[in-house]
Amino acid sequence: MNILKNCMLCPRKCGVNRYEKKGLCGANDKIKIAYYSLHMWEEPIISGKNGSGTIFFSNCNMKCIYCQNKKISIDGYGKYISRKKLSEIMLKLQNMGAHNINLVTPTHYVPQIAYSLKKIKNNKLYIPVVYNTSSYENIITLKMMDNLLGIYLVDLKYYDDQLEFNYSGCRNYFEYATLAIDEMFRQVGEYKFNEQGLMTRGLVVRILILPGHLDDAKIIIKYLYKTYKDDIFISIMNQYTPVNHCIYNNLNRKLTEDEYNDVIKYALELGVKNAFIQDGDTAEESFIPKFNCNIIDWFFY
Ligand code: SF4
């Protein structure tokens, strides 16, 4: 794939030849995945009763210091698979009863994923495909997925420049992410549900509230509501989990109930109707998937 010889897939724009070396995301030319399974912990309109057919891709173009999945996103844990194998895994998940195929952090593998999807999309794969991303995306890359996806399930992480730089090592995150979200909305349009109440088309934007940074979360909610009203869903998340590699003191604690309620109250006062909120204390390590390659090994043969 020529596009990987001078990789500009994401806003990092490394320009590396991925057949010879890895980019800042840690990926070379081959697809690498850490795990796939039926996943129950997405929003209920995505997970449903049977679960979302989730494929966790190794490596990531963000470098969030609080990442719960550091083992795969930063350490690059996983196993190389072919494009053909990726198509087979999607079909396997569909046969297992998945309501959708959920591509978790696909950005750096988009050309390969698009290839695998095109092979099965119109004849064998009939469930919706979900693109699950941090939104640090280039529009030109998202356009490669046009007509291949039903749902975008995405983060809008930061408004403040200093936060994005300190916590994820990015520049111009809000600008890139909001342009990307515009393109996503153009592609999927207003939401649609099937008779079981599961989303088949649409855009869900997640706001993970970081402890001590309520104002940033509120600016993001206001921006989304002003731009899209209730044509999209927002998901306001309290599940921030402190992990031991966090170096900033304020990130070494969970969000308090008062902090969470403060942001929810703000969204309600704005008039937001299509929002998911989380009950109780979801910030437990048990929510962090345990990654191992066994299930992949089992599937290979
Ligand atoms: S996808 Fe990876 S190699 Fe390509 S520009 Fe982004 S960080 Fe660099």
Side-chain angles (χ1 to χ4, degrees), residues 12 24-26 59-67 73-74 166-170:
R12 300 279 187 194
L24 275 170
C25 56
N59 303 302
C60 183
N61 68 335
M62 297 278 277
K63 300 291 169 208
C64 305
I65 59 171
Y66 51 84
C67 182
S73 61
I74 294 173
N166 289 349
Y167 296 163
S168 298
C170 311

Side-chain angles (χ1 to χ4, degrees), residues 15 27 31 67 102-103 113 127 146 162 170 185 189 224 228 269 282:
I31 306 168
C67 182
N102 188 354
L103 309 168
I113 294 170
I127 55 177
D146 205 356
Q162 205 55 51
C170 311
F185 187 66
L224 289 170
Y228 303 104
E269 282 171 2
T282 53

Side-chain angles (χ1 to χ4, degrees), residues 38-67:
L38 295 177
H39 189 58
M40 302 306 299
W41 294 285
E42 305 292 16
E43 285 73 2
I45 55 172
I46 304 290
S47 286
K49 214 166 67 168
N50 299 350
S52 177
T54 304
I55 303 171
F56 292 93
F57 290 92
S58 307
N59 303 302
C60 183
N61 68 335
M62 297 278 277
K63 300 291 169 208
C64 305
I65 59 171
Y66 51 84
C67 182

Side-chain angles (χ1 to χ4, degrees), residues 41-265:
W41 294 285
E42 305 292 16
E43 285 73 2
I45 55 172
I46 304 290
S47 286
K49 214 166 67 168
N50 299 350
S52 177
T54 304
I55 303 171
F56 292 93
F57 290 92
S58 307
N59 303 302
C60 183
N61 68 335
M62 297 278 277
K63 300 291 169 208
C64 305
I65 59 171
Y66 51 84
C67 182
Q68 295 180 14
N69 300 332
K70 175 179 175 289
K71 187 174 173 183
I72 63 162
S73 61
I74 294 173
D75 302 344
Y77 178 83
K79 186 156 187 165
Y80 291 114
I81 59 165
S82 65
R83 294 177 296 185
K84 183 166 178 280
K85 189 59 64 182
L86 181 60
S87 304
E88 288 170 6
I89 288 173
M90 292 179 192
L91 295 175
K92 171 87 180 168
L93 287 165
Q94 179 173 262
N95 288 340
M96 287 162 70
H99 295 300
N100 44 60
I101 299 299
N102 188 354
L103 309 168
V104 179
T105 320
T107 314
H108 41 297
Y109 299 116
V110 160
Q112 298 99 314
I113 294 170
Y115 179 94
S116 303
L117 270 172
K118 280 176 191 161
K119 292 283 177 197
I120 53 174
K121 188 74 180 115
N122 291 325
N123 46 9
K124 297 178 181 156
L125 187 74
Y126 53 82
I127 55 177
V129 179
V130 182
Y131 191 98
N132 190 328
T133 172
S134 66
S135 301
Y136 198 42
E137 299 275 358
N138 279 341
I139 290 175
I140 197 162
T141 304
L142 293 175
K143 283 189 189 294
M144 293 179 212
M145 300 300 284
D146 205 356
N147 298 315
L148 294 172
L149 300 169
I151 299 165
Y152 277 102
L153 177 60
V154 309
D155 302 322
L156 187 48
K157 285 177 176 290
Y158 311 107
Y159 173 75
D160 185 280
D161 293 352
Q162 205 55 51
L163 296 186
E164 71 187 42
F165 185 69
N166 289 349
Y167 296 163
S168 298
C170 311
R171 293 285 188 203
N172 305 317
Y173 171 84
F174 187 76
E175 190 184 338
Y176 277 110
T178 49
L179 287 172
I181 289 170
D182 268 349
E183 167 62 18
M184 295 170 192
F185 187 66
R186 184 198 67 75
Q187 287 184 21
V188 296
E190 241 185 277
Y191 54 81
K192 288 193 176 76
F193 290 88
N194 65 14
E195 52 288 350
Q196 284 113 42
L198 294 166
M199 185 175 257
T200 55
R201 208 164 175 83
L203 172 59
V204 180
V205 183
R206 291 168 160 174
I207 302 114
L208 175 68
I209 309 170
L210 296 176
H213 296 303
L214 311 194
D215 287 349
D216 212 60
K218 288 177 184 176
I219 292 170
I220 289 168
I221 292 170
K222 189 174 181 181
Y223 166 80
L224 289 170
Y225 190 62
K226 210 173 126 205
T227 311
Y228 303 104
K229 289 287 185 286
D230 283 305
D231 292 341
I232 65 167
F233 279 78
I234 64 169
S235 182
I236 306 174
M237 307 178 91
N238 69 353
Q239 69 183 54
Y240 172 78
T241 307
V243 286
N244 53 19
H245 50 273
C246 276
I247 53 168
Y248 289 91
N249 285 340
N250 61 317
L251 293 185
N252 280 330
R253 68 169 176 88
K254 296 178 188 176
L255 193 74
T256 67
E257 203 177 328
D258 283 349
E259 285 177 315
Y260 189 54
N261 288 340
D262 184 15
V263 176
I264 299 298
K265 184 166 170 277

Side-chain angles (χ1 to χ4, degrees), residues 3-4 6-16 18 21-27 60-63 107-109 136 138:
I3 200 159
L4 298 179
N6 175 27
C7 187
M8 307 287 254
L9 285 177
C10 84
R12 300 279 187 194
K13 295 184 180 150
C14 302
V16 296
R18 284 174 50 180
K21 61 189 273 201
K22 294 174 178 176
L24 275 170
C25 56
C60 183
N61 68 335
M62 297 278 277
K63 300 291 169 208
T107 314
H108 41 297
Y109 299 116
Y136 198 42
N138 279 341

